[in-house]
Amino acid sequence: MFKINISHRTRIIALFLITVISYGFYNAFLPITDPVESNYVLSAITMLTHNSWISPMIYDHVWYDKPPLTYWALMICYKLFGISDFVSRIPNTLIAGASISLMYHMVYRIKQSVPVAVTSAILLMSTLQFWYISHAVITDGFLFFFSLAIFGYAYLAFTNNDKTSMMKAYIAAAFAVLTKGPIGLLLPGLILLVFMVLQKYIKANKDEVSLLRNLKIAFTPLGIVLFFAIASPWYIAMYSIHGQDFISGFLGLQNVGRALVSEHPKFDVWYYYLIITPLALLPWTPVVIYQLRKLNWKESFNLLGGIWFVIILLFYSIVATKYLTYTLPAIIPCIIWGAEAIITILSNPTLAKHVRYLVVIPFHIYVVILGIGVALSARDYILDYIIIFVLGALIFNIARHYVQTASQLTLLFLFPILSLYSATTISVTPILTSQSGIQFTSYIENTNQPVFVYGGYYTSVVYYTKHIPTQVYLNKTDDERWAKARNIMPTITKDEFLDQLPNESNAIVIVPNRNIKDFESSPAAVITKPLGKTNGATIYKVQDNISF
C-alpha cells in the first residue's frame, strides 16, 4: 500500500496554498461576465431563493442545462459567505488548487520522481488554458479535476493490478457525471477500453499484458456500485420529479443535441481544436512538442497519454457544438511530458542549451505578447503590470544564484510566473467589464421603467441590479432549437418590441455594439435618444410623447 510521507504531504499542501492565494488574487475585482458565468451565478442564487437543491433553476424556471455539482458549490459558498463576485469565484479557485496538488500527487505516484511531479504541477499552474478556466465561473475546472483523477488512478490500477485505484477512478467518474453529464463517464470509458485493447497488441513482447486481467480491473464490481451510489440519486430524483421533460431537455437536447446540432455554427469547423490546443498549452507548447518526438509510444503511460489526447480532441472535433473549454482534460498527459522534458534537459549538461530555446525564450516571448495585450487593452494598468513583473524578475535573478539542483531551478520559475499572471489578472478587468452587465448599473439600478436588451441578453444585469430585462429576439443564424432552450428569460420578438415601445416612456434599451446598425435602421431609433455608451453597448432611453 502506498504510504504518504510528511514531505509529500507538505508539498501537496504548499502547492494548494500557492495556487489558491495566487489564483484568488484580485478576484474580488473581476466582474461576472456574460453569457456563461452569469448563468451559473444566477442559477445558484435562484436555487437558493427557492430552496431547490435538486432541480437547477434560473428566472424562476427549471433549467436542464447542467448537472448540479457546480451549482451546489456556489450555493454552499453563498450560504457561508454571502453573494459577491469574490465568493462566486471561490469554488473554481479551490478546485484549481486541488487540481495542482492532485497533478503533483498523481505524477509522483506514476513516475516516482519528485522533480517531475513538482514540475508538472508548476507547468499546469502556468498553462494559459488552465489559468483562464480556473478563474472563470464554469463547470470545466471541476471536470478537469475529476478527469485527472480518472486518468491517474486508472493508469495506476492497470499498472499495479490495483482494484482500489480503479474504485477511486469510478468515484471520480461519478462526480464527473454530476458535473457535466454522462460524458464524464462515457468518454474516459471509451479511452480506457481502447487503451486496454491496444496495450495487448502494441506492448513490447517482454511485457505481456493480459486483456482479461485488465477487463476484470476495469469492471470491478465495487467500483461500479460506488459509481451508481454517487451519480444516480440526482438523476433518479430529477426523473421522478420532472419525468419526460428531464429526459428530453437534459439528456436529449443538452447532451445528444449538442453533439448533433451546433449552438454556434460559425465555430463548427474540423480544425477548431487544432488551433486551440497549441494556444492552450502556452507558454510550454515548444517543450511539449520537443518531448513528443522522443517518446516510446509502446510504453504504457505514453500509450495511454496518446490515446487520451487523440480521442478527446477527435471526439470534440466531431461534435457539432464547440467551445474552447471542452478539450481542457486533453492537456493532462502533455503537461507531464513537458515536465519530463524539462527535468531531463536540466539534469543533462549536454542538453542544457535546449533550456534557452525550449523554455526561456518561449516564456519571454509569451510575456512580451501578454505585455502588448495589456498595453493595448488596459492602458490604465500598465504601470501595475510593470511593477509586479519587475519585482518577480528581480527575485528570480537574485535567487537563481543560490540554486543548486534542477528541481530548485524549476521551482524558482514560480516567481516570474506568479508575477506575470498576477499582473495579467489585474489588467483583464476592463476586458471583463465590457462583457458584463456591471457596465450598465449606473443607467438602470435606480429606474423603475422597463429595460430591454436589443438582440442579446445580459444575465449579469439581474445579478448586479435585480432588474430583469426583456430580451428583444432578433432572427439569427443559430439553430432555433437552441434559441428556445436558452431563451428562458423574458423574451419578445422584434415586431412585438416595436409595437410595445411607444407605450413605454422612459424605458431603457441596451443595444450591443453588434446590433447598433440594425437598431438605428429600425423605427425604434425615432423615439429613443442615446443615454450613454460603454465599451460593449449603447444605452438608449425612450422619449416622452413620441410615436412612430
Side-chain angles (χ1 to χ4, degrees):
M1 188 72 179
F2 182 77
K3 185 178 180 180
I4 299 178
N5 57 43
I6 297 300
S7 61
H8 181 73
R9 183 180 292 112
T10 300
R11 293 188 196 100
I12 289 175
I13 295 172
L15 287 167
F16 175 81
L17 292 177
I18 290 171
T19 305
V20 169
I21 292 171
S22 62
Y23 274 38
F25 170 73
Y26 213 73
N27 271 359
F29 303 96
L30 300 181
I32 299 301
T33 62
D34 293 293
V36 179
E37 289 186 328
S38 55
N39 284 333
Y40 290 107
V41 168
L42 188 60
S43 292
I45 294 172
T46 306
M47 291 167 72
L48 276 178
T49 302
H50 290 268
N51 197 28
S52 175
W53 290 84
I54 295 178
S55 302
M57 300 183 69
I58 193 169
Y59 300 109
D60 299 323
H61 295 284
V62 175
W63 197 34
Y64 302 114
D65 186 58
K66 291 290 188 298
L69 192 139
T70 304
Y71 304 133
W72 287 342
L74 286 166
M75 292 166 73
I76 291 169
C77 287
Y78 290 154
K79 277 278 192 181
L80 293 174
F81 308 113
I83 298 171
S84 70
D85 293 349
F86 180 78
V87 173
S88 296
R89 299 190 188 279
I90 285 177
N92 278 76
T93 301
L94 293 177
I95 204 67
S99 294
I100 298 298
S101 295
L102 183 62
M103 174 63 83
Y104 162 77
H105 177 65
M106 289 284 86
V107 176
Y108 181 74
R109 290 283 311 273
I110 293 169
K111 298 294 183 179
Q112 294 294 306
S113 168
V114 171
V116 173
V118 171
T119 305
S120 297
I122 293 173
L123 261 60
L124 179 61
M125 187 192 305
S126 55
T127 297
L128 178 61
Q129 189 179 34
F130 182 81
W131 177 86
Y132 158 68
I133 288 175
S134 297
H135 281 77
V137 186
I138 52 178
T139 61
D140 299 273
F142 286 90
L143 182 64
F144 180 88
F145 176 80
F146 299 126
S147 298
L148 175 58
I150 296 170
F151 177 88
Y153 283 119
Y155 176 80
L156 290 171
F158 291 132
T159 303
N160 302 328
N161 193 16
D162 180 8
K163 291 186 177 180
T164 300
S165 290
M166 184 56 71
M167 285 190 289
K168 293 177 181 178
Y170 269 110
I171 292 172
F175 284 106
V177 169
L178 285 175
T179 300
K180 204 77 170 181
I183 196 67
L185 172 70
L186 297 179
L187 189 55
L190 172 63
I191 292 168
L192 295 177
L193 184 61
V194 173
F195 168 70
M196 287 185 287
V197 173
L198 291 183
Q199 190 184 35
K200 169 67 178 176
Y201 297 102
I202 294 180
K203 193 79 172 178
N205 292 331
K206 63 180 180 180
D207 295 322
E208 188 64 30
V209 175
S210 171
L211 179 60
L212 181 60
R213 187 210 72 166
N214 282 348
L215 286 172
K216 288 180 179 178
I217 293 172
F219 293 98
T220 177
L222 184 54
I224 296 172
V225 170
L226 288 171
F227 170 83
F228 282 105
I230 295 170
S232 65
W234 179 78
Y235 287 82
I236 293 172
M238 284 293 288
Y239 180 72
S240 66
I241 296 171
H242 303 289
Q244 186 59 37
D245 287 344
F246 171 66
I247 299 297
S248 57
F250 177 75
L251 297 177
L253 181 64
Q254 298 295 346
N255 284 270
V256 177
R258 284 178 187 266
L260 301 179
V261 181
S262 178
E263 283 190 71
H264 309 290
K266 64 181 178 180
F267 296 123
D268 187 15
V269 291
W270 64 270
Y271 53 84
Y272 182 81
Y273 293 111
L274 296 181
I275 297 173
I276 293 296
T277 304
L279 297 176
L281 287 166
L282 287 173
W284 313 118
T285 309
V287 76
V288 172
I289 294 174
Y290 168 83
Q291 184 68 2
L292 291 177
R293 297 166 52 247
K294 304 168 69 66
L295 293 178
N296 173 14
W297 294 105
K298 291 185 177 181
E299 194 274 324
S300 59
F301 176 82
N302 295 333
L303 179 61
L304 175 58
I307 295 169
W308 180 275
F309 178 81
V310 169
I311 287 184
I312 290 178
L313 256 66
L314 184 61
F315 175 82
Y316 285 112
S317 294
I318 295 172
V319 165
T321 298
K322 294 177 172 61
Y323 283 103
L324 60 86
T325 61
Y326 278 176
T327 54
L328 177 64
I331 73 171
I332 291 171
C334 298
I335 294 295
I336 301 171
W337 290 327
E340 286 184 302
I342 289 175
I343 293 301
T344 300
I345 291 170
L346 291 175
S347 303
N348 188 337
T350 61
L351 298 176
K353 62 180 181 181
H354 292 341
V355 174
R356 176 178 300 176
Y357 300 110
L358 297 174
V359 179
V360 177
I361 291 178
F363 181 75
H364 280 82
I365 293 173
Y366 182 61
V367 172
V368 171
I369 292 172
L370 284 182
I372 293 172
V374 170
L376 294 176
S377 62
R379 293 182 179 85
D380 293 341
Y381 295 86
I382 188 66
L383 183 60
D384 307 68
Y385 180 92
I386 293 173
I387 291 173
I388 293 175
F389 193 73
V390 166
L391 287 174
L394 285 174
I395 295 172
F396 176 82
N397 282 285
I398 293 171
R400 70 176 182 174
H401 294 291
Y402 300 94
V403 168
Q404 296 179 344
T405 67
S407 58
Q408 288 175 338
L409 181 61
T410 304
L411 193 62
L412 186 59
F413 259 95
L414 269 177
F415 290 108
I417 287 169
L418 294 180
S419 299
L420 169 67
Y421 281 116
S422 295
T424 304
T425 303
I426 292 175
S427 68
V428 299
T429 304
I431 301 172
L432 298 184
T433 299
S434 68
Q435 300 173 10
S436 171
I438 196 173
Q439 62 188 303
F440 310 118
T441 53
S442 62
Y443 298 99
I444 64 178
E445 61 185 349
N446 295 320
T447 183
N448 294 319
Q449 301 303 317
V451 178
F452 299 91
V453 183
Y454 190 83
Y457 204 75
Y458 295 90
T459 299
S460 57
V461 166
V462 187
Y463 166 71
Y464 283 112
T465 69
K466 304 300 185 287
H467 282 273
I468 301 180
T470 298
Q471 175 185 224
V472 180
Y473 180 70
L474 306 180
N475 291 326
K476 298 293 184 179
T477 57
D478 291 357
D479 190 276
E480 195 67 23
R481 283 169 287 185
W482 290 115
K484 292 179 180 178
R486 288 195 299 261
N487 294 340
I488 299 177
M489 73 289 288
T491 301
I492 58 177
T493 66
K494 181 178 178 179
D495 290 338
E496 291 170 336
F497 169 70
L498 294 176
D499 289 339
Q500 181 179 339
L501 199 60
N503 301 318
E504 301 288 358
S505 296
N506 298 316
I508 302 297
V509 183
I510 299 171
V511 184
N513 289 340
R514 65 181 179 275
N515 298 322
I516 289 291
K517 290 184 179 180
D518 188 297
F519 181 82
E520 290 181 344
S521 63
S522 75
V526 176
I527 62 170
T528 59
K529 62 179 180 180
L531 190 63
K533 186 175 178 61
T534 67
N535 288 334
T538 300
I539 300 89
Y540 294 84
K541 186 175 184 179
V542 179
Q543 301 180 66
D544 290 324
N545 303 318
I546 296 179
S547 60
F548 297 141

